[in-house]
Amino acid sequence: MPPQPSAPIPLVLDVDTGIDDAMAILLAALHPGLDLRAVTCAGGNAPLEDVVRNTLTVLEIAGRADVPVGVGARRPLLEQPVDARHVHGSDGMGDLGLPAPRTEPDPRIAVELLRDEAERAYAQGRPLTLVPLAPMTNVALLARVHPDAFARLGRVVFMGGGADVSNATAAAEFNVFHDPEATALVLDACVEHDVPVTMYGLDVFYAPRVTREQSQALRDLGTPVTTLAAGLTSFHQRVFQDGTMTVGDAGAVASLLVPQAVRTERRPVRVELAGTWTRGRTIVDRRDWTGDMEHDPHGPARAMVDVCLGVDGDALRDVWLATVRGEVG
């Protein structure tokens, strides 16, 4: 394993758990290089009630029931909610028949929990890294309701969008498509408050992959964590029928631990909010001649984003596998 930071990275995940959100929670909860302070929930891959239940369940299995879970947005800012249960199962997490969690969500709603954790990390001199793995409704509300707390974030690394790849529609990735106004608001807030932002989108999302043999090896270990991890990976392998599955959202979390495994370009990004066929698309400006930009009637996008365009998928996958196997410490 590569050298780890001298102190764990203070981290909050915003999730719509979701199979790959569950995989990301396991990594964030168990890796010693990450200090998981809280998890906030939004409707997305599944309805909010399922998301909250799934999130609490994963944290309990990981032995991290101490991590507060905030209940957040049930629906997008403007749109009617949609879900992705055709990908994640009817319960949002692979229909594994897991028992109901024993713990309850934090009494604070997601926006209040995000505010408190951003303020706490800032006061400690190690500003918070916020990793949205869901539609960014909660994060947009934080930016609007508690802008001072948003300004104290150290970094936003979101799973969403894509420069060249889409899935929810021919133009748009699911998280951004689900609430494009929220993504646009967050990018604007990052500009306003000078918060660095990274887009870990579909261009790299599928690269870290787990094989059937690796899934079976996890199952054979027989711990609560590896049994859950095997169930999650096996479900997606059955759904997509290609012998492997991506660790998906967990790759965005792993990129914090092995940043050398990720290639980014700093590019202007805006979100299409009006197009009939392109609503929710992240427009990544990859032009290399300023003359074109200077004569563009729209002008350049204000948000400068570190866009992930290439990854060492095996390196990111191996961080996840080693962590769920209990081999890091």
Side-chain angles (χ1 to χ4, degrees), residues 121-141:
Y122 184 81
Q124 293 170 339
R126 286 180 58 80
L128 191 70
T129 295
L130 176 58
V131 182
L133 305 174
M136 285 204 279
T137 317
N138 290 333
V139 186
L141 292 170

Side-chain angles (χ1 to χ4, degrees), residues 195-275:
V195 175
V197 56
T198 298
M199 185 175 94
Y200 185 98
L202 290 183
D203 306 286
V204 297
F205 179 87
Y206 299 105
R209 303 192 71 82
V210 177
T211 66
R212 285 199 177 99
E213 292 75 18
Q214 289 165 330
S215 294
Q216 186 58 49
L218 290 173
R219 194 181 305 279
D220 291 344
L221 286 173
T223 71
V225 168
T226 60
T227 299
L228 173 60
L232 296 170
T233 55
S234 297
F235 178 83
H236 260 185
Q237 286 159 359
R238 291 194 301 273
V239 169
F240 294 104
Q241 299 181 346
D242 65 354
T244 65
M245 73 156 289
T246 176
V247 302
D249 289 347
V253 177
S255 73
L256 304 177
L257 296 162
V258 281
Q260 67 275 17
V262 180
R263 177 177 64 83
T264 64
E265 292 182 7
R266 192 163 177 77
R267 294 290 179 181
V269 176
R270 56 168 46 100
V271 180
E272 175 58 65
L273 300 177

